[in-house]
Amino acid sequence: HKLLLLPYFSFLQRYLQPHQRSVTNVLAFLIQASHDLVPSEEVEPIIKLIANNFVTDRSGPEVMAVGLNAIRELVVRIPLLTSGDGMQDLVNDLIQYRRYRRDKSVVMAARGLLNFIRETNPTILARKERGKFHDATAKPLEYGQVKVLDGVEGAELLKNEAENNPEENSDEEGKEDDTKMEDASGEPVGDSTAETARVDKVRILTEKDFRRIRKLKEKQEQEKRNPRARRKRARGAGVIQNALMKNMNVSTEDLEEGTSEEEEIEDYLSASDGDNDNDDERQTNDGVVNPHDLEGHVKRQRRELADRLRSVYAGREGAHRLANKRLGGTNNLEKSKAKNYQMVQHSKRVREKQYSSLRQQQYQLRKHIKNLERKKKTVQRIRRRTNKTS
């Protein structure tokens, strides 16, 4: 949606407190009401309010994780927020929580915010925080600015794939010749070098091509964010230093003072543990935000564990009724007791009993008595349940 509800943002400020009941729902409503057409001046006070109320050393780890995740979601929907007054100092303070070793949720939330800033507006970060492979020209679009596409977005990826894998695409070359568009004179369109560089100007793209474009775009985004993939591409080309200096706009000072590659890989992997796996589930039903996604990674794991245990306990209901209704056969313990002594006299268990000391015998006797008492209590409890149900 593109609804402009400017009084709504000032109305929600009074409810943005950690002790507020269902504060994650309030934050989810706030995020859902935000989009790129909302003026950044209306949301900047809310960003600073969330940082002051949630992301502080006086707050607990779960509260800090909720605040960082909410700020990241707001910045993702309104990238122009990173260019506001005072936002540079605020962002640099927030990303320092990626070294917060008390809780993993805070670390993952801070690193997720850092990775997004590196992609959209790395100039507001300190030089050592930008990473080796950042794009120095990346800036958020101005208010109301739209990136207009000339043709199908990602069509050039099909041509690059065909050049890299000529054997797999040899069968499709004949189909391209048959599907070339012709003008009124009967001559094929797109014979020039500029037009032949784009596949969408040469032939009509099919549904299979669009699916392939989506997969290539997802793969390209993953490789762009993964430092290991960037390092592999640079090593395969054999010109790591030239690629860093020329293609990726990295100066010599950045290489000397920039973030180490190990730290950048750690930031990418830790931030993608709990966030990238749920990108499709996070925004469903036309952008509806799930309040549980704003919680920390540890709390989400705890809730998932509780749900699993609840389902396990629900499946155990009535199991005590079948405890003494075995249809037939014996278990391994009963079989071992019924075996002939000649068969088990050389086993390890029997030899340990024969050569055990007096202290070990006393310990085993006390353990046996405790087991008998525990079994007796269990049998009594099962009988009481059976009598109640009957």
Side-chain angles (χ1 to χ4, degrees):
H1 70 90
K2 299 296 181 182
L3 295 177
L4 290 176
L5 305 174
L6 300 184
Y8 182 69
F9 296 97
S10 58
F11 171 75
L12 286 182
Q13 290 187 14
R14 70 185 73 177
Y15 301 105
L16 297 179
Q17 300 291 339
H19 56 78
Q20 175 67 36
R21 180 181 297 179
S22 303
V23 67
T24 53
N25 293 333
V26 178
L27 291 171
F29 301 152
L30 172 65
I31 295 169
Q32 189 174 344
S34 305
H35 51 84
D36 54 354
L37 293 183
V38 176
S40 59
E41 295 81 7
E42 299 289 338
V43 190
E44 284 180 10
I46 297 180
I47 293 284
K48 296 177 182 179
L49 181 64
I50 294 175
N52 294 331
N53 293 343
F54 288 81
V55 192
T56 60
D57 295 335
R58 302 184 301 274
S59 303
E62 295 180 356
V63 177
M64 296 170 63
V66 169
L68 288 171
N69 288 328
I71 292 175
R72 185 196 61 200
E73 292 293 337
L74 288 173
V75 173
V76 167
R77 290 174 176 254
I78 311 177
L80 195 59
L81 284 171
T82 57
S83 302
D85 297 336
M87 292 299 296
Q88 181 175 0
D89 297 334
L90 178 62
V91 168
N92 282 280
D93 291 340
L94 293 178
I95 63 176
Q96 298 303 323
Y97 283 97
R98 73 185 193 277
R99 297 188 177 92
Y100 186 85
R101 300 303 181 185
R102 297 182 183 178
D103 191 80
K104 184 179 179 181
S105 301
V106 180
V107 175
M108 293 176 60
R111 285 176 173 172
L113 177 62
L114 174 61
N115 289 337
F116 178 76
I117 299 298
R118 281 174 177 174
E119 296 177 1
T120 55
N121 195 4
T123 55
I124 67 173
L125 298 174
R127 180 173 296 172
K128 63 179 181 179
E129 309 291 352
R130 298 175 186 175
K132 290 184 178 181
F133 301 95
H134 73 278
D135 186 6
T137 61
K139 289 184 179 180
L141 298 177
E142 297 295 334
Y143 180 77
Q145 184 180 2
V146 180
K147 184 179 179 181
V148 180
L149 301 175
D150 183 14
V152 180
E153 183 181 6
E156 64 277 1
L157 298 177
L158 293 176
K159 182 176 179 58
N160 297 336
E161 185 189 22
E163 293 177 354
N164 296 333
N165 302 323
E167 297 180 357
E168 297 180 0
N169 297 274
S170 59
D171 299 337
E172 299 182 0
E173 293 180 357
K175 298 180 181 179
E176 293 181 6
D177 297 337
D178 298 338
T179 57
K180 283 184 179 180
M181 296 181 295
E182 297 183 356
D183 57 5
S185 61
E187 296 180 358
V189 178
D191 292 338
S192 60
T193 307
E195 292 182 349
T196 53
R198 298 187 60 88
V199 181
D200 55 340
K201 293 185 177 181
V202 177
R203 62 185 179 87
I204 299 176
L205 299 182
T206 61
E207 185 64 27
K208 182 179 179 181
D209 294 330
F210 286 109
R211 288 197 299 268
R212 188 58 186 167
I213 288 175
R214 286 194 293 268
K215 292 181 180 180
L216 292 176
K217 287 173 65 176
E218 293 176 358
K219 182 179 179 181
Q220 188 181 37
E221 287 296 327
Q222 292 178 359
E223 292 181 352
K224 187 187 298 183
R225 297 178 59 187
N226 190 351
R228 291 177 177 173
R230 291 196 295 256
R231 181 180 59 182
K232 185 177 180 180
R233 291 198 307 269
R235 183 184 300 170
V239 285
I240 299 179
Q241 194 70 15
N242 294 335
L244 293 175
M245 299 293 293
K246 185 183 298 183
N247 298 334
M248 300 180 183
N249 299 322
V250 180
S251 61
T252 307
E253 297 178 355
D254 290 337
L255 293 177
E256 295 176 355
E257 303 180 9
T259 308
S260 63
E261 192 170 2
E262 289 76 8
E263 293 182 359
E264 192 173 356
I265 292 174
E266 184 180 0
D267 292 345
Y268 165 75
L269 293 178
S270 62
S272 60
D273 284 343
D275 299 330
N276 297 334
D277 297 339
N278 299 325
D279 286 342
D280 297 336
E281 301 177 359
R282 178 163 303 175
Q283 295 182 359
T284 58
N285 195 10
D286 295 335
V288 176
V289 180
N290 188 358
H292 296 321
D293 293 333
L294 298 178
E295 299 174 353
H297 176 68
V298 176
K299 192 170 183 179
R300 287 201 300 269
Q301 283 186 334
R302 202 178 303 143
R303 182 186 297 104
E304 293 174 359
L305 177 61
D307 294 339
R308 290 197 301 268
L309 290 177
R310 194 178 298 111
S311 63
V312 170
Y313 292 150
R316 291 180 179 177
E317 293 181 359
H320 61 280
R321 301 177 184 177
L322 304 176
N324 298 325
K325 294 182 180 180
R326 197 166 49 188
L327 299 179
T330 56
N331 53 30
N332 292 335
L333 181 62
E334 294 173 350
K335 291 178 181 178
S336 62
K337 292 180 179 180
K339 284 184 179 180
N340 190 356
Y341 179 73
Q342 300 296 332
M343 299 174 60
V344 296
Q345 64 177 347
H346 299 293
S347 64
K348 182 179 179 180
R349 185 176 180 180
V350 174
R351 285 188 280 109
E352 286 180 352
K353 285 184 178 180
Q354 291 177 350
Y355 299 104
S356 60
S357 61
L358 179 62
R359 185 174 181 179
Q360 292 177 351
Q361 293 178 5
Q362 293 175 351
Y363 172 76
Q364 293 294 337
L365 180 60
R366 288 195 297 268
K367 185 177 179 181
H368 179 63
I369 294 174
K370 289 182 179 180
N371 291 336
L372 291 177
E373 293 177 353
R374 189 183 300 112
K375 290 180 180 179
K376 182 179 180 181
K377 293 180 180 179
T378 304
V379 171
Q380 293 175 355
R381 184 168 60 253
I382 293 175
R383 287 178 179 176
R384 286 196 299 268
R385 290 180 182 176
T386 306
N387 294 333
K388 290 180 180 179
T389 54
S390 59

